[in-house]
Amino acid sequence: QGKVRESGGDSVQAGGSLRLACAASGYVYGDNCMVWFRQAPGKEREAVAGIYTGDTSTYYADSVKGRFTISQDSDKGRMSLQMNNLKVEDTGTYYCAADPCSKTYGASWSDPENYPYWGQGTQVIVSS
């Protein structure tokens, strides 16, 4: 049975940095499509950044481009999200989602329906 676990959430001041980690297990046999979603209180869930481990293609929401970097670890079931210059609006619960995909989703990377495995979330709070 597949499992996904996030770590690294914390409280920081605006302008600070955090690094989130995601580990998928139980199903990982090859390449993965892995995405970070976030949800702020009272707002809809949104895709933040994604990666396809087959060719390390990366995808970002416009709101985080230039500030966030998603990367793959040597283990294809693990990836990280480096978040720099954090803003108050980055506050929310960050979820890692994964799918043992055979190719990148391309423009559909942000569709949550593509990802059958989800973590429980890790909290990020950015204060002014």
Side-chain angles (χ1 to χ4, degrees):
Q1 183 176 357
K3 293 182 180 179
V4 176
R5 176 172 291 182
E6 309 94 340
S7 62
D10 205 343
S11 297
V12 296
Q13 289 193 325
S17 298
L18 281 176
R19 188 176 183 87
L20 304 183
C22 173
S25 62
Y27 76 88
V28 178
Y29 302 110
D31 293 315
N32 278 280
C33 293
M34 302 180 79
V35 175
W36 286 99
F37 289 85
R38 70 182 178 193
Q39 187 164 22
K43 294 187 177 181
E44 293 188 357
R45 180 177 52 188
E46 63 173 338
V48 174
I51 188 167
Y52 169 56
T53 63
D55 61 7
T56 66
S57 297
T58 56
Y59 306 89
Y60 296 95
D62 288 343
S63 59
V64 306
K65 282 181 181 177
R67 301 188 297 121
F68 290 13
T69 302
I70 190 170
S71 60
Q72 170 191 331
D73 291 357
S74 57
D75 180 341
K76 288 187 175 182
R78 296 176 177 269
M79 59 93 165
S80 300
L81 183 68
Q82 178 66 40
M83 306 187 295
N84 297 328
N85 191 22
L86 282 161
K87 302 178 180 181
V88 172
E89 50 264 40
D90 294 318
T91 294
T93 301
Y94 282 68
Y95 298 91
C96 178
D99 176 44
C101 59
S102 59
K103 61 180 181 179
T104 179
Y105 283 115
S108 299
W109 72 274
S110 59
D111 185 350
E113 295 297 321
N114 290 330
Y115 305 96
Y117 301 105
W118 289 75
Q120 295 298 309
T122 186
Q123 190 79 7
V124 173
I125 299 174
V126 185
S127 58
S128 59

PDB file of all heavy atoms in Angstrom, residues 22-25 27-34 51-56 71-79 98-99:
ATOM      1  N   CYS A  22       9.415  15.329   1.094  1.00  0.00           N
ATOM      2  CA  CYS A  22       8.340  14.370   0.844  1.00  0.00           C
ATOM      3  C   CYS A  22       8.966  13.012   0.554  1.00  0.00           C
ATOM      4  O   CYS A  22       9.912  12.918  -0.232  1.00  0.00           O
ATOM      5  CB  CYS A  22       7.498  14.819  -0.338  1.00  0.00           C
ATOM      6  SG  CYS A  22       6.250  13.618  -0.870  1.00  0.00           S
ATOM      7  N   ALA A  23       8.424  11.980   1.178  1.00  0.00           N
ATOM      8  CA  ALA A  23       8.903  10.624   0.946  1.00  0.00           C
ATOM      9  C   ALA A  23       7.728   9.731   0.606  1.00  0.00           C
ATOM     10  O   ALA A  23       6.758   9.665   1.367  1.00  0.00           O
ATOM     11  CB  ALA A  23       9.630  10.104   2.184  1.00  0.00           C
ATOM     12  N   ALA A  24       7.810   9.070  -0.524  1.00  0.00           N
ATOM     13  CA  ALA A  24       6.782   8.126  -0.946  1.00  0.00           C
ATOM     14  C   ALA A  24       7.329   6.711  -0.810  1.00  0.00           C
ATOM     15  O   ALA A  24       8.497   6.464  -1.090  1.00  0.00           O
ATOM     16  CB  ALA A  24       6.375   8.395  -2.392  1.00  0.00           C
ATOM     17  N   SER A  25       6.483   5.798  -0.375  1.00  0.00           N
ATOM     18  CA  SER A  25       6.932   4.427  -0.200  1.00  0.00           C
ATOM     19  C   SER A  25       5.776   3.472  -0.446  1.00  0.00           C
ATOM     20  O   SER A  25       4.619   3.869  -0.519  1.00  0.00           O
ATOM     21  CB  SER A  25       7.486   4.226   1.216  1.00  0.00           C
ATOM     22  OG  SER A  25       6.463   4.458   2.172  1.00  0.00           O
ATOM     23  N   TYR A  27       4.924   1.830  -3.007  1.00  0.00           N
ATOM     24  CA  TYR A  27       4.495   1.604  -4.383  1.00  0.00           C
ATOM     25  C   TYR A  27       5.590   1.989  -5.377  1.00  0.00           C
ATOM     26  O   TYR A  27       5.489   1.717  -6.545  1.00  0.00           O
ATOM     27  CB  TYR A  27       3.252   2.422  -4.717  1.00  0.00           C
ATOM     28  CG  TYR A  27       3.575   3.873  -4.937  1.00  0.00           C
ATOM     29  CD1 TYR A  27       3.935   4.347  -6.189  1.00  0.00           C
ATOM     30  CD2 TYR A  27       3.579   4.758  -3.865  1.00  0.00           C
ATOM     31  CE1 TYR A  27       4.289   5.662  -6.371  1.00  0.00           C
ATOM     32  CE2 TYR A  27       3.935   6.073  -4.038  1.00  0.00           C
ATOM     33  CZ  TYR A  27       4.294   6.522  -5.288  1.00  0.00           C
ATOM     34  OH  TYR A  27       4.651   7.820  -5.472  1.00  0.00           O
ATOM     35  N   VAL A  28       6.613   2.669  -4.904  1.00  0.00           N
ATOM     36  CA  VAL A  28       7.602   3.266  -5.805  1.00  0.00           C
ATOM     37  C   VAL A  28       8.405   2.196  -6.496  1.00  0.00           C
ATOM     38  O   VAL A  28       9.161   1.480  -5.876  1.00  0.00           O
ATOM     39  CB  VAL A  28       8.539   4.214  -5.041  1.00  0.00           C
ATOM     40  CG1 VAL A  28       9.578   4.779  -5.989  1.00  0.00           C
ATOM     41  CG2 VAL A  28       7.740   5.323  -4.392  1.00  0.00           C
ATOM     42  N   TYR A  29       8.237   2.067  -7.805  1.00  0.00           N
ATOM     43  CA  TYR A  29       8.992   1.076  -8.563  1.00  0.00           C
ATOM     44  C   TYR A  29       9.847   1.706  -9.638  1.00  0.00           C
ATOM     45  O   TYR A  29      10.734   1.082 -10.187  1.00  0.00           O
ATOM     46  CB  TYR A  29       8.031   0.084  -9.203  1.00  0.00           C
ATOM     47  CG  TYR A  29       7.160  -0.627  -8.197  1.00  0.00           C
ATOM     48  CD1 TYR A  29       5.809  -0.361  -8.109  1.00  0.00           C
ATOM     49  CD2 TYR A  29       7.712  -1.565  -7.329  1.00  0.00           C
ATOM     50  CE1 TYR A  29       5.012  -1.003  -7.176  1.00  0.00           C
ATOM     51  CE2 TYR A  29       6.916  -2.207  -6.399  1.00  0.00           C
ATOM     52  CZ  TYR A  29       5.582  -1.927  -6.326  1.00  0.00           C
ATOM     53  OH  TYR A  29       4.799  -2.566  -5.408  1.00  0.00           O
ATOM     54  N   GLY A  30       9.591   2.931  -9.968  1.00  0.00           N
ATOM     55  CA  GLY A  30      10.320   3.599 -11.040  1.00  0.00           C
ATOM     56  C   GLY A  30      10.128   5.081 -10.934  1.00  0.00           C
ATOM     57  O   GLY A  30      10.255   5.652  -9.857  1.00  0.00           O
ATOM     58  N   ASP A  31       9.783   5.714 -12.043  1.00  0.00           N
ATOM     59  CA  ASP A  31       9.622   7.153 -12.050  1.00  0.00           C
ATOM     60  C   ASP A  31       8.311   7.587 -11.382  1.00  0.00           C
ATOM     61  O   ASP A  31       7.363   6.801 -11.263  1.00  0.00           O
ATOM     62  CB  ASP A  31       9.676   7.687 -13.478  1.00  0.00           C
ATOM     63  CG  ASP A  31      11.058   7.519 -14.081  1.00  0.00           C
ATOM     64  OD1 ASP A  31      12.038   7.833 -13.371  1.00  0.00           O
ATOM     65  OD2 ASP A  31      11.173   7.059 -15.228  1.00  0.00           O
ATOM     66  N   ASN A  32       8.315   8.839 -10.961  1.00  0.00           N
ATOM     67  CA  ASN A  32       7.163   9.376 -10.248  1.00  0.00           C
ATOM     68  C   ASN A  32       6.839  10.774 -10.740  1.00  0.00           C
ATOM     69  O   ASN A  32       7.732  11.519 -11.146  1.00  0.00           O
ATOM     70  CB  ASN A  32       7.467   9.489  -8.748  1.00  0.00           C
ATOM     71  CG  ASN A  32       7.286   8.182  -8.030  1.00  0.00           C
ATOM     72  OD1 ASN A  32       6.171   7.794  -7.710  1.00  0.00           O
ATOM     73  ND2 ASN A  32       8.382   7.501  -7.798  1.00  0.00           N
ATOM     74  N   CYS A  33       5.572  11.098 -10.646  1.00  0.00           N
ATOM     75  CA  CYS A  33       5.138  12.476 -10.747  1.00  0.00           C
ATOM     76  C   CYS A  33       4.774  12.886  -9.323  1.00  0.00           C
ATOM     77  O   CYS A  33       3.949  12.240  -8.678  1.00  0.00           O
ATOM     78  CB  CYS A  33       3.902  12.603 -11.646  1.00  0.00           C
ATOM     79  SG  CYS A  33       4.200  12.215 -13.380  1.00  0.00           S
ATOM     80  N   MET A  34       5.416  13.925  -8.839  1.00  0.00           N
ATOM     81  CA  MET A  34       5.195  14.344  -7.457  1.00  0.00           C
ATOM     82  C   MET A  34       4.929  15.845  -7.439  1.00  0.00           C
ATOM     83  O   MET A  34       5.599  16.608  -8.132  1.00  0.00           O
ATOM     84  CB  MET A  34       6.411  14.010  -6.589  1.00  0.00           C
ATOM     85  CG  MET A  34       6.736  12.512  -6.602  1.00  0.00           C
ATOM     86  SD  MET A  34       8.147  12.073  -5.593  1.00  0.00           S
ATOM     87  CE  MET A  34       7.401  12.081  -3.947  1.00  0.00           C
ATOM     88  N   ILE A  51       7.188  17.879 -10.059  1.00  0.00           N
ATOM     89  CA  ILE A  51       8.371  17.350 -10.721  1.00  0.00           C
ATOM     90  C   ILE A  51       8.068  15.969 -11.266  1.00  0.00           C
ATOM     91  O   ILE A  51       7.303  15.208 -10.669  1.00  0.00           O
ATOM     92  CB  ILE A  51       9.579  17.304  -9.752  1.00  0.00           C
ATOM     93  CG1 ILE A  51      10.861  16.929 -10.493  1.00  0.00           C
ATOM     94  CG2 ILE A  51       9.312  16.330  -8.601  1.00  0.00           C
ATOM     95  CD1 ILE A  51      12.125  17.166  -9.659  1.00  0.00           C
ATOM     96  N   TYR A  52       8.649  15.661 -12.424  1.00  0.00           N
ATOM     97  CA  TYR A  52       8.588  14.331 -12.982  1.00  0.00           C
ATOM     98  C   TYR A  52      10.000  13.763 -12.896  1.00  0.00           C
ATOM     99  O   TYR A  52      10.939  14.315 -13.485  1.00  0.00           O
ATOM    100  CB  TYR A  52       8.106  14.361 -14.428  1.00  0.00           C
ATOM    101  CG  TYR A  52       8.261  13.041 -15.145  1.00  0.00           C
ATOM    102  CD1 TYR A  52       7.695  11.882 -14.625  1.00  0.00           C
ATOM    103  CD2 TYR A  52       8.982  12.947 -16.332  1.00  0.00           C
ATOM    104  CE1 TYR A  52       7.844  10.668 -15.269  1.00  0.00           C
ATOM    105  CE2 TYR A  52       9.128  11.741 -16.988  1.00  0.00           C
ATOM    106  CZ  TYR A  52       8.555  10.595 -16.435  1.00  0.00           C
ATOM    107  OH  TYR A  52       8.699   9.400 -17.074  1.00  0.00           O
ATOM    108  N   THR A  53      10.159  12.676 -12.154  1.00  0.00           N
ATOM    109  CA  THR A  53      11.498  12.167 -11.890  1.00  0.00           C
ATOM    110  C   THR A  53      12.141  11.528 -13.119  1.00  0.00           C
ATOM    111  O   THR A  53      13.352  11.344 -13.139  1.00  0.00           O
ATOM    112  CB  THR A  53      11.475  11.151 -10.743  1.00  0.00           C
ATOM    113  OG1 THR A  53      10.682  10.023 -11.125  1.00  0.00           O
ATOM    114  CG2 THR A  53      10.898  11.765  -9.475  1.00  0.00           C
ATOM    115  N   GLY A  54      11.352  11.190 -14.136  1.00  0.00           N
ATOM    116  CA  GLY A  54      11.905  10.559 -15.323  1.00  0.00           C
ATOM    117  C   GLY A  54      12.896  11.433 -16.062  1.00  0.00           C
ATOM    118  O   GLY A  54      13.929  10.963 -16.539  1.00  0.00           O
ATOM    119  N   ASP A  55      12.587  12.740 -16.151  1.00  0.00           N
ATOM    120  CA  ASP A  55      13.496  13.656 -16.842  1.00  0.00           C
ATOM    121  C   ASP A  55      13.712  14.936 -16.036  1.00  0.00           C
ATOM    122  O   ASP A  55      14.253  15.895 -16.562  1.00  0.00           O
ATOM    123  CB  ASP A  55      12.961  13.995 -18.236  1.00  0.00           C
ATOM    124  CG  ASP A  55      11.606  14.680 -18.197  1.00  0.00           C
ATOM    125  OD1 ASP A  55      11.128  15.017 -17.088  1.00  0.00           O
ATOM    126  OD2 ASP A  55      11.005  14.889 -19.266  1.00  0.00           O
ATOM    127  N   THR A  56      13.268  14.896 -14.766  1.00  0.00           N
ATOM    128  CA  THR A  56      13.375  16.039 -13.834  1.00  0.00           C
ATOM    129  C   THR A  56      12.703  17.300 -14.358  1.00  0.00           C
ATOM    130  O   THR A  56      13.100  18.406 -14.007  1.00  0.00           O
ATOM    131  CB  THR A  56      14.837  16.337 -13.428  1.00  0.00           C
ATOM    132  OG1 THR A  56      15.575  16.774 -14.559  1.00  0.00           O
ATOM    133  CG2 THR A  56      15.485  15.116 -12.828  1.00  0.00           C
ATOM    134  N   SER A  71      12.993  19.776  -6.114  1.00  0.00           N
ATOM    135  CA  SER A  71      14.106  18.957  -6.575  1.00  0.00           C
ATOM    136  C   SER A  71      13.905  17.511  -6.156  1.00  0.00           C
ATOM    137  O   SER A  71      13.209  17.214  -5.184  1.00  0.00           O
ATOM    138  CB  SER A  71      15.431  19.484  -6.019  1.00  0.00           C
ATOM    139  OG  SER A  71      15.420  19.460  -4.606  1.00  0.00           O
ATOM    140  N   GLN A  72      14.546  16.641  -6.911  1.00  0.00           N
ATOM    141  CA  GLN A  72      14.445  15.203  -6.661  1.00  0.00           C
ATOM    142  C   GLN A  72      15.672  14.740  -5.899  1.00  0.00           C
ATOM    143  O   GLN A  72      16.781  15.160  -6.196  1.00  0.00           O
ATOM    144  CB  GLN A  72      14.362  14.484  -8.001  1.00  0.00           C
ATOM    145  CG  GLN A  72      14.487  12.990  -7.967  1.00  0.00           C
ATOM    146  CD  GLN A  72      14.669  12.407  -9.350  1.00  0.00           C
ATOM    147  OE1 GLN A  72      14.188  12.977 -10.340  1.00  0.00           O
ATOM    148  NE2 GLN A  72      15.363  11.300  -9.453  1.00  0.00           N
ATOM    149  N   ASP A  73      15.469  13.853  -4.944  1.00  0.00           N
ATOM    150  CA  ASP A  73      16.598  13.252  -4.260  1.00  0.00           C
ATOM    151  C   ASP A  73      17.140  12.094  -5.093  1.00  0.00           C
ATOM    152  O   ASP A  73      16.555  11.731  -6.115  1.00  0.00           O
ATOM    153  CB  ASP A  73      16.157  12.753  -2.881  1.00  0.00           C
ATOM    154  CG  ASP A  73      15.824  13.893  -1.942  1.00  0.00           C
ATOM    155  OD1 ASP A  73      15.992  15.058  -2.345  1.00  0.00           O
ATOM    156  OD2 ASP A  73      15.399  13.628  -0.808  1.00  0.00           O
ATOM    157  N   SER A  74      18.216  11.492  -4.665  1.00  0.00           N
ATOM    158  CA  SER A  74      18.773  10.355  -5.388  1.00  0.00           C
ATOM    159  C   SER A  74      17.776   9.204  -5.421  1.00  0.00           C
ATOM    160  O   SER A  74      17.729   8.431  -6.377  1.00  0.00           O
ATOM    161  CB  SER A  74      20.088   9.903  -4.746  1.00  0.00           C
ATOM    162  OG  SER A  74      19.878   9.593  -3.377  1.00  0.00           O
ATOM    163  N   ASP A  75      16.976   9.103  -4.394  1.00  0.00           N
ATOM    164  CA  ASP A  75      15.886   8.134  -4.329  1.00  0.00           C
ATOM    165  C   ASP A  75      14.691   8.746  -5.049  1.00  0.00           C
ATOM    166  O   ASP A  75      14.217   9.813  -4.666  1.00  0.00           O
ATOM    167  CB  ASP A  75      15.548   7.853  -2.859  1.00  0.00           C
ATOM    168  CG  ASP A  75      14.432   6.847  -2.692  1.00  0.00           C
ATOM    169  OD1 ASP A  75      13.674   6.623  -3.656  1.00  0.00           O
ATOM    170  OD2 ASP A  75      14.315   6.282  -1.601  1.00  0.00           O
ATOM    171  N   LYS A  76      14.189   8.108  -6.101  1.00  0.00           N
ATOM    172  CA  LYS A  76      13.115   8.689  -6.894  1.00  0.00           C
ATOM    173  C   LYS A  76      11.816   8.818  -6.130  1.00  0.00           C
ATOM    174  O   LYS A  76      10.873   9.446  -6.597  1.00  0.00           O
ATOM    175  CB  LYS A  76      12.899   7.872  -8.167  1.00  0.00           C
ATOM    176  CG  LYS A  76      14.010   8.042  -9.177  1.00  0.00           C
ATOM    177  CD  LYS A  76      13.686   7.370 -10.492  1.00  0.00           C
ATOM    178  CE  LYS A  76      14.745   7.661 -11.533  1.00  0.00           C
ATOM    179  NZ  LYS A  76      14.445   7.066 -12.843  1.00  0.00           N
ATOM    180  N   GLY A  77      11.734   8.224  -4.951  1.00  0.00           N
ATOM    181  CA  GLY A  77      10.542   8.362  -4.138  1.00  0.00           C
ATOM    182  C   GLY A  77      10.601   9.536  -3.176  1.00  0.00           C
ATOM    183  O   GLY A  77       9.699   9.710  -2.366  1.00  0.00           O
ATOM    184  N   ARG A  78      11.659  10.325  -3.254  1.00  0.00           N
ATOM    185  CA  ARG A  78      11.832  11.454  -2.346  1.00  0.00           C
ATOM    186  C   ARG A  78      12.089  12.731  -3.129  1.00  0.00           C
ATOM    187  O   ARG A  78      12.813  12.723  -4.113  1.00  0.00           O
ATOM    188  CB  ARG A  78      13.004  11.207  -1.409  1.00  0.00           C
ATOM    189  CG  ARG A  78      12.802  10.032  -0.468  1.00  0.00           C
ATOM    190  CD  ARG A  78      14.041   9.779   0.375  1.00  0.00           C
ATOM    191  NE  ARG A  78      13.819   8.696   1.319  1.00  0.00           N
ATOM    192  CZ  ARG A  78      13.372   8.866   2.555  1.00  0.00           C
ATOM    193  NH1 ARG A  78      13.104  10.089   2.989  1.00  0.00           N
ATOM    194  NH2 ARG A  78      13.192   7.834   3.338  1.00  0.00           N
ATOM    195  N   MET A  79      11.501  13.821  -2.648  1.00  0.00           N
ATOM    196  CA  MET A  79      11.772  15.104  -3.251  1.00  0.00           C
ATOM    197  C   MET A  79      11.625  16.186  -2.197  1.00  0.00           C
ATOM    198  O   MET A  79      11.071  15.950  -1.112  1.00  0.00           O
ATOM    199  CB  MET A  79      10.852  15.350  -4.463  1.00  0.00           C
ATOM    200  CG  MET A  79       9.378  15.323  -4.185  1.00  0.00           C
ATOM    201  SD  MET A  79       8.728  16.975  -3.839  1.00  0.00           S
ATOM    202  CE  MET A  79       6.979  16.622  -4.032  1.00  0.00           C
ATOM    203  N   ALA A  98       1.514  12.101  -5.035  1.00  0.00           N
ATOM    204  CA  ALA A  98       2.394  11.338  -5.921  1.00  0.00           C
ATOM    205  C   ALA A  98       1.617  10.362  -6.794  1.00  0.00           C
ATOM    206  O   ALA A  98       0.537   9.907  -6.432  1.00  0.00           O
ATOM    207  CB  ALA A  98       3.421  10.579  -5.080  1.00  0.00           C
ATOM    208  N   ASP A  99       2.224  10.062  -7.932  1.00  0.00           N
ATOM    209  CA  ASP A  99       1.672   9.077  -8.855  1.00  0.00           C
ATOM    210  C   ASP A  99       2.829   8.384  -9.559  1.00  0.00           C
ATOM    211  O   ASP A  99       3.744   9.047 -10.037  1.00  0.00           O
ATOM    212  CB  ASP A  99       0.783   9.763  -9.889  1.00  0.00           C
ATOM    213  CG  ASP A  99       0.259   8.779 -10.922  1.00  0.00           C
ATOM    214  OD1 ASP A  99      -0.173   7.679 -10.516  1.00  0.00           O
ATOM    215  OD2 ASP A  99       0.297   9.086 -12.117  1.00  0.00           O
TER     216      ASP A  99
END
